[in-house]
Amino acid sequence: MIVEKAQKLTDLTERLRAGQRGQDHKEALETRLIGLARLEDDLRAAAAFLEVARRRKLIETAGIQIDSTTAIARLKELLEKFAADPASIISGNAYRDTVKLVGDTIEICKVTATTVWRDYTATKIERGSWELLDLYEKAGLFYGEITRLRELTSRLNTLASKPWVTEEELETFERTSVDLKQAWRGIRADDLPASVRRFLVACHQGGATLDLLIPEVMEWLKAKHVAQHFRIRPG
């Protein structure tokens, strides 16, 4: 909407020249149009996320009772005045009052959108035992699974670090969050017996002695399909 109006600026400023307003007015108009365009972009982006959050119930709807329609309507009204009389955003208080209203609304929307997104993502990224993964990795186990866990976590952290996201990015985040939970199911710290932990640590530190390879350890290695990763060598 604003871009289309801006494209007509050259023709409209000819009318200003006819009224001897000159180049200074043209530059002022260009500056203010650019400012309005940025305000509209900022407002619509944050408001769009909050609408998605409300519709998809990311949080309790009572937490996002923000209405940006008034600010958007004021922007539209100012642009309609500009189309009829380009000088309307130079003279009088219409521009100043609109910028203040829209700016205040944007600030509220931005703060709320950022809070909503931060609180939502904090509960959706599976946090498993990276200490356990490090132990497996050093023992040369589960390379593919660990690589996938790191990739999925990195994707989620990248999206979570944004102030807020588009609906498409939200869908990507939710799918990836499900994938991460599934990826963690096969690698858990709580199902690692102490005897297995001692065996893996010893392997990493130079080699485990045979007395550490008790039946419980052997059963765990077979259940995880990693027994073939280990070799017996004379000390």
Side-chain angles (χ1 to χ4, degrees):
M1 178 175 64
I2 290 178
V3 173
E4 293 174 358
K5 297 290 189 302
Q7 290 173 344
K8 298 178 182 178
L9 180 60
T10 301
D11 294 336
L12 290 167
T13 50
E14 289 301 323
R15 293 161 55 186
L16 292 177
R17 288 197 182 92
Q20 298 183 343
R21 297 183 182 275
Q23 185 65 23
D24 289 344
H25 287 78
K26 178 185 176 182
E27 291 176 356
L29 283 171
E30 289 175 338
T31 299
R32 291 197 170 186
L33 277 174
I34 290 171
L36 289 174
R38 288 173 178 167
L39 283 174
E40 185 181 37
D41 288 344
D42 286 348
L43 178 59
R44 290 188 182 279
F49 171 75
L50 289 176
E51 171 57 25
V52 171
R54 183 198 63 76
R55 177 161 42 83
R56 299 183 65 157
K57 299 181 180 179
L58 300 192
I59 63 168
E60 292 297 326
T61 55
I64 49 174
Q65 297 296 321
I66 295 177
D67 183 7
S68 61
T69 56
T70 300
I72 292 175
R74 285 289 291 276
L75 267 176
K76 181 179 179 182
E77 179 184 346
L78 184 62
L79 288 167
E80 288 174 349
K81 287 182 178 179
F82 167 76
D85 176 17
S88 64
I89 64 171
I90 297 293
S91 60
N93 298 327
Y95 177 83
R96 183 199 65 189
D97 294 345
T98 299
V99 167
K100 184 179 187 311
L101 172 65
V102 175
D104 290 346
T105 305
I106 287 173
E107 187 61 26
I108 295 171
C109 285
K110 281 185 173 181
V111 170
T112 306
T114 300
T115 301
V116 168
W117 182 236
R118 182 194 62 210
D119 292 348
Y120 176 73
T121 57
T123 66
K124 295 297 181 179
I125 301 180
E126 187 80 3
R127 306 292 183 184
S129 172
W130 289 102
E131 178 188 2
L132 177 63
L133 289 191
D134 186 56
L135 181 60
Y136 285 158
E137 200 167 34
K138 289 175 179 177
L141 304 177
F142 308 115
Y143 175 80
E145 292 88 340
I146 293 173
T147 299
R148 178 164 172 75
L149 282 169
R150 294 192 190 281
E151 289 176 350
L152 292 172
T153 301
S154 176
R155 289 181 210 165
L156 289 174
N157 286 336
T158 297
L159 289 171
S161 67
K162 293 188 173 187
W164 60 83
V165 293
T166 64
E167 186 163 13
E168 182 179 356
E169 288 173 325
L170 172 60
E171 291 173 353
T172 298
F173 181 90
E174 290 179 335
R175 287 196 304 270
T176 306
S177 177
V178 172
D179 290 342
L180 182 63
K181 288 180 181 179
Q182 293 175 344
W184 271 111
R185 286 176 183 170
I187 303 179
R188 290 289 183 185
D190 54 12
D191 68 354
L192 184 66
S195 59
V196 177
R197 183 180 290 273
R198 286 193 297 271
F199 175 79
L200 292 178
V201 170
C203 288
H204 171 64
Q205 293 178 343
T209 55
L210 282 176
D211 62 301
L212 293 178
L213 190 60
I214 62 176
E216 182 181 39
V217 173
M218 197 64 206
E219 289 173 9
W220 186 91
L221 294 175
K222 288 180 178 179
K224 297 296 183 180
H225 308 291
V226 294
Q228 68 277 11
H229 287 262
F230 297 89
R231 298 289 185 271
I232 298 175
R233 296 186 179 92

